[in-house]
Amino acid sequence: MTIRPVKTAVFPVGGQGTRFLPATKAVPKELLPVVDRPLLQYAVDEALAAGIERMVFVTARGKNALEDYFDVAGELVASLKAKGKTAELAVLETTQLSPGQIAYVRQQEPAGLGHAVWCARHIVGDDAFAVLLPDELLWNPANPALAAMHDVYRQRGGNVISVLEVPDEHTNRYGIVTPGAIDGLVTEVKGLVEKPKAGTAPSRLAAIGRYILQPEVMTILSAGKRGAGNEIQLTDAMAELIGVQPFHALTFTGTRFDCGDKAGHITANIALALERDDVGPAVREWLKAQVI
Ligand code: G1P
């Protein structure tokens, strides 16, 4: 079995962010901050920690601010230098990627996650690749989600997705796994179904927005088959790889914040703020005073 290296990551960032209106009228939801870093920066940091070298952002109309964010802010850098603001300059440096490390492709219609991933097919080429959904903030600085998946992939090859158990009544929000053999945190994937209704799901193991996939999934997506919600679903295309290629799920160890949801986004801000030396103490004080 050849294990093709994973050097490219695809970030679907074309969504309209309607749940965060009116903020998302002018700011892409992926740039909304968690403490002081945009949500998307966490996913990019996670990709870098997993050894990813090329980032592909699948964007859409009205989301040009994403390109500006990852560009060098020349005037800002010059003015910070002139003022001797070295701490701020150091922060900016943590976000700087090399020229050519990011490519942008536009999803011309909101036809589903599978369609968004497929829009990146020419850039991905014949290599295995990762997909990261930035709404899902998977927080484990000691063992970031994609790096842990990459380790499993190096041993087992094929396709690896990140999963967590969700309550029965939430299976209709996720891609759900039919589990096979279990080996510690790694579960063989025997089947996948997108958003099954409560009570009909094959398990409570839900895909949480991190994927390492073989390029053959792109060929499957090319058929443009519509699934749940009349959208082209990544889950359906992945399901066709099961039995053809190895397919495993790795249970995520860490804290997951669903930042596509307002409560999840607020919780992420509080949790990550509490971990920080600069803002943590003040936030903790305030929180303590709220407990009745
Ligand atoms: C997407 C995927 C779903 C996955 C989920 C994770 O759904 O289609 O399989 O479980 O992300 O967040 P969406 O949240 O875009 O409806």
Side-chain angles (χ1 to χ4, degrees):
M1 180 179 63
T2 354
I3 298 191
R4 295 182 264 210
V6 185
K7 298 282 180 204
T8 306
V10 177
F11 300 77
V13 288
Q16 290 181 315
T18 47
R19 277 192 263 180
F20 285 87
L21 281 170
T24 46
K25 246 177 100 181
V27 183
K29 71 171 170 180
E30 297 80 8
L31 292 185
L32 296 178
V34 172
V35 188
D36 49 12
R37 289 171 92 71
L39 194 47
L40 182 54
Q41 185 69 55
Y42 291 89
V44 168
D45 290 345
E46 192 189 320
L48 290 170
I52 297 293
E53 293 170 4
R54 291 184 293 266
M55 319 277 167
V56 187
F57 292 164
V58 183
T59 70
R61 247 185 126 66
K63 306 205 75 170
N64 297 357
L66 290 170
E67 295 186 35
D68 289 340
Y69 173 78
F70 284 101
D71 196 3
V72 175
E75 282 177 19
L76 176 62
V77 170
S79 111
L80 291 175
K81 273 189 186 151
K83 291 177 189 151
K85 298 212 165 199
T86 47
E88 287 80 356
L89 282 165
V91 168
L92 281 189
E93 264 170 38
T94 66
T95 67
Q96 199 57 61
L97 297 172
S98 313
Q101 211 176 350
I102 299 188
Y104 299 89
V105 57
R106 275 201 180 182
Q107 185 184 18
Q108 295 165 334
E109 48 169 334
L113 177 60
H115 180 260
V117 170
W118 176 76
C119 288
R121 68 198 177 284
H122 294 304
I123 306 177
V124 166
D126 295 330
D127 286 334
F129 64 103
V131 177
L132 296 95
L133 310 189
D135 275 1
E136 295 275 4
L137 175 46
L138 302 188
W139 188 239
N140 184 347
N143 189 19
L146 192 66
M149 291 164 65
H150 207 176
D151 289 342
V152 171
Y153 170 75
R154 284 193 196 94
Q155 292 154 14
R156 301 178 189 246
N159 305 275
V160 180
I161 63 173
S162 182
V163 292
L164 263 188
E165 278 203 356
V166 297
D168 271 328
E169 63 274 22
H170 289 173
T171 58
N172 62 351
R173 300 180 186 175
Y174 300 97
I176 302 287
V177 167
T178 305
I182 297 171
D183 177 8
L185 293 171
V186 180
T187 303
E188 186 191 354
V189 176
K190 292 269 209 185
L192 277 167
V193 54
E194 181 68 9
K195 302 194 169 81
K197 290 200 183 81
T200 69
S203 77
R204 294 195 290 123
L205 274 189
I208 50 166
R210 299 292 185 276
Y211 311 82
I212 290 178
L213 299 172
Q214 294 302 309
E216 287 75 16
V217 77
M218 294 295 195
T219 315
I220 298 168
L221 286 168
S222 293
K225 268 191 234 162
R226 302 266 165 170
N230 196 33
E231 292 187 341
I232 301 169
Q233 296 292 352
L234 182 61
T235 301
D236 297 343
M238 294 191 299
E240 291 192 37
L241 293 174
I242 298 166
V244 181
Q245 299 175 343
F247 213 121
H248 295 93
L250 173 66
T251 298
F252 171 60
T253 54
T255 313
R256 167 188 175 239
F257 301 100
D258 176 6
C259 292
D261 170 74
K262 269 180 271 208
H265 185 247
I266 292 165
T267 316
N269 269 286
I270 296 169
L272 269 61
L274 288 174
E275 289 186 16
R276 295 256 302 242
D277 293 337
D278 52 355
V279 289
V283 174
R284 183 166 286 106
E285 271 308 295
W286 184 85
L287 269 177
K288 272 190 198 156
Q290 306 312 307
V291 178
I292 306 159

